[in-house]
Structure formats: C-alpha cells, structure tokens
Amino acid sequence: MKYLILPLLFALAANGAGVDSGKPLDQKHIKQAAMALMEDIVPHPPVSDEMTKISDKQSFALWGRIFGDAQIGALVSVKPDAGKPESDADLCLLLWQDGWKFAQWVGKVSPKNSTWQDSDRDWDIKRRVPSGAYYVIDSFDLNAISYREHFSWFCDPQTHSLRPTGWPKDALPSISGTTITFQRCEKSGYAPAVFAIDAFDGAPGKNIATYSNTYAEGHRACITISIPDSATGKRFTWRISQLPQKYEPHHDRFSLCYSLTDGKLEPFHEDATVDVQWEKGLYSSDAISFLIWRLTGIEKSAQQGHWDEDILRETKAGRVNLDVKKPLKTDVVGIPEAVKAFAWPPSS
Amino acid sequence: MHMMKQTLLPYFKIALGTMIVCTVFPLLLNAQEEPKQSATPNPESLGIIREKSLELLRDIVPSSTSGRDLKNLESVGGSIYWGNLFDPREVVALVNLAPEKPEDDFEGDVVDYEQTWVRHLSFCAWQKDHWVFRQYLDNARNLEFHDRKDKPGHFVQASRKTGRYEGDCLSWYYDPKTMKLVQTNFEDWGPFYLIGNYLCTLRGFERRAVDETVWVYPYNNGRKGSLLAIYYSDIGSGELRNFSITFRDRKTGKYWTYSFSPKEAEQPYLHYDVDAVEGVWNEPDEKAKTRVHHNAEMEVSEKDDSTDQFCFERLTGLSRAVLDHEDGNSAQWKDTLPKLPPLKQIKLKVKGDQEIVRHLQK
C-alpha cells in the first residue's frame, strides 16, 4: 500500500518544475544567488564522475554529470536568509547549455553548511552503482519525521529534471546492489533503529527482511529479524540474543528464538543456540552480520544502510571493508529450522 | 588519615604549581626555537605543481574582475579559493592540490595519517583571459582568510600536520607592492589571532587535552612586539580549577609566572595556593626547578566564576577581551579590542610572600 501512491507522484513530477509550490520561484534573489554562485564556472570536458563542490557565504552547489549522461547540471542550495542559518534552503537545478540556465526550483532542503567542511546533516547526491542513476537525499534526523514536502529526488536523465522519489519521509534510504534499505526509528525519538530492506529495480519492491537491533545488559547485541516466507508470504521472525562471553576469543555465542507469528512477539524462548567460531578473533558485530547474511543473503553494506558508491570509495581508500566475514564453522544445537538456517559451512 | 592529608597537601600543591610552571616555561622556550620547515619543491616538482594548479583552475573563468566574493571549489583534484581576495581590482586564487599519498605511507590508521600527506598550496591570478601562476606557498591546508582595516590588510592562515600530534601553523599577509603573499612568521608554533593592537598565539597540534594557553603580544601595523602576558588554564578538563598567568612587572620590568591552585576539592573555590616564579622568560638554560618559588595564600571574598580573568586583568593590566576566543582553534579576529563591562570587584585577601601581596592587592 505504501508505494501505491508512487506512480501518482511520478506522474505529478513529470513536469519537473511543477512538483512543488511555485512560490519560491517568485523570489528573484534565490535564482540570482544560484546563478551568481555558478557564474564563474565554465565546465571543460572531460567532466569527472565525481561531483564538484562550490560554496560561498550563502549558497552551496554540487555540479557535474548529475544525470549520468553528457548533460552537466548544478544543484544549488540557497539559504533564503543569510542571517538565519537554521532556516531551510531552496534547492535549484541549473543546466549548462553554453552557459548556466536556471531550470527548476526543486524544493526545500536542509541548508548546506556554509563552512568549507562537509556535514553529515546536509543534502547530498548519491549514485547507484552500477546503473549510474543519481538521487538527491536531504539530510535526515532519525529522531524526527521530516516536515518538508519531499525528502529525496531522482535525477531523471530523460527530462533532465529532478522529481520526488515518493519514498517514505521517515526513513533514510540507501541503495546497495538490488536492494534499498530504509533506516528509521521504531518510534520517533526512540531506539532501536529499524532497517527495512526491500528489493530495488528502479523503485522499491517486495520487502526482503526487516531487522532491528538493541543492546542488552553487558552490551550484548539483540537482533530481531523478520523475513517473509517465499512460498506462503507469511512472515517468520528470528530473535538472536548474544550470550555472555566465556573468555574464548574466537567464539561468539547466540541464543535463538524462532517464531512464525508476525505481530506481537511472544516472550523470548530459546529454541537453539549457535556457536560461531572464527579463525582469529573478530568483533561480535561480524558474527551478527554473518547470521543476517545466512538468513537473507543480504550483504553488509545493505544491512548497515550504506550506498555502494560510498563503500567502493572507502574500500578503495583502504578505510573500510564491508565484506561479510565467514567463520570457520558454526555449531548449532536446537530446532531443525535453526540448524538449516545457520549451519556453516552449508554442507555440514 | 586526615593528619596525613593535612601534612601532604601543601607539598602536593607546590608540586602542582611547579608542574604548571614546568609546563608553561618549556613551551615558551620551545616557542622561540621552532623554525618552520618549509617544504619548497625542486624546480621539476614546481613545474608539475604549476601545471596541476593551472589545470585545476581550468573550469573557473571569472566573468568580471571586480565584485567577486570569496568562493570555494572542491573537486577530486583539490580545493580552490578564489575571488577579489586581496585587491578589489584583481581576481586571485589559492590552489590547494589534492593530497599526495607517499610511497612509504603508514598502512595502519589511514584516516589519521591522511592528514599528514603533502598538499601543495599555490597563489594564482587571473590576467585578462587566463590564469597565471604567481607563487608557490608551501605544503599547507585548512585555509582561513582574515581582513584588517590597518596594514597589512589581508591575511591567509593555514596549517599542516606532520605527525599524529605534530604540525605547523603558517600564515601570510598580502603585499600590495609585490602582489605576493609574504610569510608573517607570527606563529611560534600554534595559530594566532589579531584583536585590536594585540597578537595572541594559541596552542598547536601537540597532544594536550586539557590545557588552554594564550600568549599575548603587542601588535602594530604588521609588527609583533615582546611578550606581554601568558594566560594558562585547565578548562579543557571540563572545569576551570588551576590557572596561571605570566606578566611583566611594570616597576621592575621582570617577568613573573603566578600559578593558582584551589585548596578546595570542589566548588566553590574560595581559597587558592599561589606559587610565583620570578625569572626572565626567554632564558633558555634556566630550568623551572632551579628557580626560586614564592608562595602565598589567596582568599576570595565570594564565589565568582571569573577569578582567573580578574587576576589576569589585575596582574597584566590588560583587558580580558584579548582572551576572547571560543576555543583553542577558533580565534576571533577583530579590528578593535571589544569593550567589556568591568568585572565585579572581588576582594582578595593575600597572605605570604610580600611580592605576591604587592602584585595582587593593588
């Protein structure tokens, strides 16, 4: 149901500039400020795949091949009042056509930090790998539902305009491979964070899994993961609770609770235990990622809500490796469903 | 146990005062000795830097040479700061090339060591229809621009990390005659700010989590004078307990460093041990432990959060406004010294060394 309105929004968005209230377009200074920021920029080929940032006191822009094709565009956010840093910024699209042309007022976004440094709270352009589709994602506060009209936009290469994605406004989206992860708070302002991972083929599809994690006493991880049964469509839930360490550095032990109900959860009852054994000591989060991957086949970047492009960049720089670590073996004791789901190597 | 505390407490406080003195004095000495290690590249490298800098500027074509406010561009190739930065009739650019990963880079904590990679900074100017490479500046990053009404009128500040807790602060002023940037050599080892006719230097990259220190010098039309005062506090620990002030006795012309340590373990702090050391601040051979320590006890009439500032104003004769900065890295440049409302007059009772009494009970 939640995505039934998507085609309608897309249809409304087809005209690009008409997707939001036209009022800000009347404000000449927004257009002037956006044009002024870009006035010294004359793109020379070849234009890099990476976006170029420009900023002055009032405006911030990302420009480059934002549609994935040869068209060069600039997304400029303009603070309506330089004296009020807290107020929303206006996001505008400029296209390069032997000069910058004002093409579209896109919507309201979080004001990009006017200092030279990046801020995680500001809007950004994200690229889906390998399709090369670009999305604009506004900054997101997990503790508050966005009050803005739209939260994310698709950079449409056919119309060279931006259109709202229609994705939920209460969740931070990230696309990894053929999945899209929506990260939100279970209840506004409260933990735990919930990760809903859907299939993605240009638009969000069926839910693959939804999980949340909390921590029990002693900083022990507790995961609840709900997965639809491929045959019946009914959901089943695994709850995975980390057991206290026994000073064995190469082992992570978990208690498992299996439930076919997809509603109010029964009290935790141990159906099985799993002992994940590593060749060398790893963090328990590696074991959790492995268990989620065994259940769903979802890679760690999607589990954690990262964009593939970011992971590729970080991996290339040697900063991060988000491959799911595979243990030497697992020992599963308990119900057959648990043995089937978590036995490793699979043949054992 | 109580007896033991009573017996050991004075020794502990003297030790604390000595520790503060030992901290401040070596810093002073170091501050004067550290020369800048400028990484001037050889002619071949300079040619490459020139080529890369001009290449990075290729997408910037100023549509006019006036009315260009500072803009910043960041791309994979590096950063550019351009506009009428110094002369309202000329568009110039400071080009900071992307960092170069050294071949022998440490493989461990990559994120931390990236900050130490070399970033060449150059000064270019727009002439008619193209960019001209005017000057190579240094290996530097984190640029800041400051304008003053007096001369020199335009400053560029930058810094570079050279190790995990090591680095240099650099700065230049714009010389309108040569149209080049000239190194100020104002920074002893940390950043500085100009406030009115004072030049205040701050701590640099060293690993010190709790200390805050401001060195105050007179400043007049680009010239830095002799040290006027040093303000030190442990505010970084979350609460200001210990502080010290170095100043010059106006009668004798000698420098003194006063260290204040509260006797109370918790607020309100009403009683302080005062440890004073006389000495010429820039005598490199003098060790703090060889100095003569003068001691006194100071009682504050009522709880006041600005005891340190009150003592600073009383001992140095300077306005506390010179210490006006948000934190160690965020200096506030101001053309004139702000006029602050006078501090509430705290009544001080000082017992002990007569010189300390003379300085504090004016």
Side-chain angles (χ1 to χ4, degrees):
Chain A
M1 178 63 190
K2 63 180 176 180
Y3 300 123
L4 287 179
I5 58 165
L6 207 60
L8 179 63
L9 282 169
F10 278 13
L12 284 170
N15 288 330
V19 293
D20 265 312
S21 159
K23 280 180 187 173
L25 284 172
D26 300 332
Q27 298 175 11
K28 283 184 182 174
H29 78 271
I30 295 170
K31 185 176 174 180
Q32 283 170 354
M35 295 292 283
L37 182 67
M38 298 304 296
E39 66 184 337
D40 288 348
I41 301 300
V42 178
H44 287 74
V47 175
S48 160
D49 277 347
E50 297 281 343
M51 296 298 144
T52 300
K53 301 174 191 175
I54 295 186
S55 56
D56 64 13
K57 277 183 186 171
Q58 197 188 357
S59 312
F60 172 89
L62 290 170
W63 70 268
R65 299 193 292 118
I66 61 171
F67 300 102
D69 58 10
Q71 176 64 57
I72 293 166
L75 282 162
V76 187
S77 61
V78 180
K79 284 183 194 171
D81 185 344
K84 293 180 182 175
E86 295 301 318
S87 53
D88 283 347
D90 289 284
L91 185 66
C92 310
L93 171 68
L94 275 59
L95 296 176
W96 177 257
Q97 291 162 353
D98 291 330
W100 290 106
K101 303 280 187 291
F102 189 91
Q104 182 186 356
W105 180 81
V106 178
K108 292 281 188 185
V109 288
S110 171
K112 192 81 185 176
N113 202 332
S114 63
T115 64
W116 311 128
Q117 289 150 0
D118 265 343
S119 166
D120 289 339
R121 295 179 59 80
D122 295 329
W123 65 270
D124 203 356
I125 295 180
K126 296 289 186 184
R127 185 165 65 118
R128 188 187 173 201
V129 178
S131 76
Y134 286 85
Y135 297 86
V136 175
I137 311 293
D138 196 1
S139 72
F140 185 74
D141 183 352
L142 273 177
N143 293 320
I145 294 171
S146 174
Y147 57 86
R148 296 182 193 104
E149 197 168 350
H150 300 292
F151 174 66
S152 55
W153 293 265
F154 172 58
C155 301
D156 189 343
Q158 290 187 337
T159 59
H160 289 142
S161 63
L162 267 67
R163 64 183 197 207
T165 60
W167 298 343
K169 286 206 299 177
D170 66 341
L172 183 67
S174 59
I175 299 172
S176 175
T178 55
T179 61
I180 183 165
T181 303
F182 292 106
Q183 188 181 343
R184 60 168 63 84
C185 269
E186 193 168 87
K187 195 175 166 187
S188 183
Y190 294 88
V194 178
F195 296 79
I197 304 165
D198 298 349
F200 187 81
D201 184 16
K206 284 184 179 175
N207 178 255
I208 300 169
T210 299
Y211 84 95
S212 64
N213 56 10
T214 56
Y215 288 93
E217 196 181 330
H219 205 67
R220 287 182 290 116
C222 299
I223 309 296
T224 302
I225 180 160
S226 162
I227 305 163
D229 185 282
S230 55
T232 64
K234 287 185 177 177
R235 299 185 79 90
F236 57 93
T237 300
W238 285 97
R239 277 185 284 168
I240 305 167
S241 178
Q242 191 182 4
L243 292 167
Q245 290 285 346
K246 290 183 177 176
Y247 301 102
E248 291 177 276
H250 303 338
H251 293 255
D252 286 305
R253 292 187 177 83
F254 298 89
S255 177
L256 307 171
C257 172
Y258 179 68
S259 171
L260 279 169
T261 54
D262 180 32
K264 196 176 178 183
L265 291 172
E266 301 164 14
F268 189 96
H269 51 86
E270 186 173 282
D271 290 318
T273 59
V274 57
D275 180 357
V276 183
Q277 297 176 37
W278 304 99
E279 190 175 2
K280 56 182 180 180
L282 290 169
Y283 296 111
S284 60
S285 59
D286 289 309
I288 291 161
S289 292
F290 166 75
L291 296 176
I292 294 173
W293 174 76
R294 279 293 291 151
L295 280 172
T296 63
I298 294 168
E299 289 295 333
K300 204 168 168 181
S301 57
Q303 290 179 22
Q304 297 186 351
H306 296 296
W307 288 78
D308 274 344
E309 187 187 27
D310 294 340
I311 297 302
L312 285 171
R313 190 184 299 120
E314 295 296 298
T315 306
K316 197 176 167 185
R319 295 190 190 100
V320 71
N321 183 347
L322 277 190
D323 293 338
V324 172
K325 310 272 190 315
K326 309 296 188 305
L328 271 182
K329 65 169 195 164
T330 59
D331 285 335
V332 189
V333 179
I335 59 173
E337 289 87 347
V339 176
K340 187 183 169 190
F342 298 109
W344 185 263
S347 54
S348 63
Chain B
M1 188 63 186
H2 180 71
M3 280 285 288
M4 198 181 204
K5 265 188 185 175
Q6 289 296 317
T7 315
L8 292 177
L9 206 58
Y11 293 102
F12 171 74
K13 286 174 179 173
I14 289 168
L16 188 64
T18 309
M19 191 179 77
I20 293 169
V21 170
C22 290
T23 308
V24 172
F25 273 95
L27 297 184
L28 276 170
L29 302 179
N30 284 341
Q32 298 305 303
E33 290 172 349
E34 296 249 336
K36 284 282 173 307
Q37 296 295 316
S38 182
T40 308
N42 61 40
E44 190 185 344
S45 303
L46 199 59
I48 296 168
I49 293 165
R50 175 196 295 258
E51 196 178 310
K52 281 186 178 177
S53 301
L54 294 174
E55 171 71 12
L56 198 61
L57 282 163
R58 66 180 184 157
D59 290 338
I60 298 177
V61 182
S63 51
S64 78
T65 53
S66 60
R68 324 310 284 168
D69 289 336
L70 171 65
K71 285 180 187 171
N72 170 235
L73 178 148
E74 284 182 33
S75 65
V76 285
S79 305
I80 301 169
Y81 303 80
W82 85 97
N84 295 119
L85 302 184
F86 311 125
D87 185 330
R89 296 159 299 177
E90 185 185 46
V91 175
V92 292
L94 284 167
V95 183
N96 204 189
L97 294 179
E100 296 169 6
K101 185 178 180 179
E103 285 176 12
D104 59 344
D105 187 47
F106 179 67
E107 291 294 329
D109 194 348
V110 176
V111 176
D112 205 47
Y113 278 85
E114 267 185 16
Q115 294 294 313
T116 65
W117 296 357
V118 171
R119 288 199 72 164
H120 294 295
L121 180 67
S122 303
F123 181 30
C124 300
W126 179 255
Q127 287 185 354
K128 289 184 182 175
D129 56 359
H130 65 287
W131 288 100
V132 175
F133 188 91
R134 183 170 285 173
Q135 184 183 5
Y136 175 78
L137 293 174
D138 215 320
N139 160 31
R141 57 174 73 197
N142 307 321
L143 269 67
E144 285 181 25
F145 297 85
H146 300 284
D147 298 324
R148 295 263 305 179
K149 284 178 182 164
D150 55 354
K151 290 179 181 175
H154 306 285
F155 289 86
V156 179
Q157 287 186 304
S159 62
R160 60 172 172 237
K161 279 189 81 171
T162 52
R164 192 159 196 169
Y165 301 111
E166 295 161 24
D168 302 313
C169 290
L170 306 102
S171 66
W172 299 264
Y173 67 86
Y174 178 71
D175 180 359
K177 285 181 186 168
T178 60
M179 300 171 85
K180 287 192 173 183
L181 286 166
V182 181
Q183 208 158 1
T184 66
N185 293 314
F186 285 161
E187 52 287 290
D188 292 328
W189 65 331
F192 70 86
Y193 59 94
L194 290 170
I195 182 163
N197 291 324
Y198 297 98
L199 188 151
C200 303
T201 62
L202 303 166
R203 287 188 173 277
F205 286 95
E206 88 283 28
R207 186 180 193 177
R208 301 181 71 87
V210 301
D211 305 336
E212 176 187 296
T213 312
V214 184
W215 289 262
V216 186
Y217 303 86
Y219 173 82
N220 187 18
N221 287 327
R223 288 185 186 167
K224 175 186 173 185
S226 303
L227 180 79
L228 289 174
I230 305 170
Y231 168 84
Y232 163 92
S233 88
D234 63 353
I235 185 74
S237 62
E239 179 199 24
L240 192 149
R241 274 180 58 80
N242 304 294
F243 60 93
S244 77
I245 294 155
T246 298
F247 64 99
R248 200 169 192 175
D249 186 331
R250 273 158 285 179
K251 271 189 181 174
T252 63
K254 288 179 181 174
Y255 284 99
W256 286 85
T257 292
Y258 276 37
S259 301
F260 299 81
S261 309
K263 287 174 182 282
E264 292 86 356
E266 292 175 359
Q267 286 203 32
Y269 302 129
L270 299 172
H271 300 84
Y272 286 85
D273 279 326
V274 185
D275 178 80
V277 179
E278 186 190 352
V280 181
W281 70 280
N282 58 357
E283 261 184 24
D285 296 325
E286 194 170 28
K287 298 284 184 293
K289 63 183 176 186
T290 66
R291 295 165 193 254
V292 177
H293 287 260
H294 302 252
N295 299 100
E297 291 181 358
M298 181 177 83
E299 186 184 340
V300 182
S301 58
E302 56 185 299
K303 180 186 177 301
D304 194 289
D305 292 336
S306 56
T307 306
D308 60 321
Q309 296 181 39
F310 182 83
C311 291
F312 177 81
E313 291 196 341
R314 176 157 288 188
L315 291 172
T316 65
L318 299 168
S319 163
R320 67 189 188 280
V322 296
L323 308 175
D324 180 29
H325 60 280
E326 288 163 2
D327 56 59
N329 297 317
S330 180
Q332 302 295 300
W333 283 61
K334 291 188 176 89
D335 279 311
T336 52
L337 195 64
K339 280 188 180 173
L340 302 181
L343 283 171
K344 192 168 76 178
Q345 287 300 303
I346 305 170
K347 284 184 184 171
L348 299 179
K349 279 186 191 170
V350 187
K351 286 184 205 165
D353 185 274
Q354 284 308 301
E355 200 70 353
I356 299 176
V357 174
R358 178 172 75 84
H359 283 138
L360 283 169
Q361 282 196 328
K362 288 176 183 172

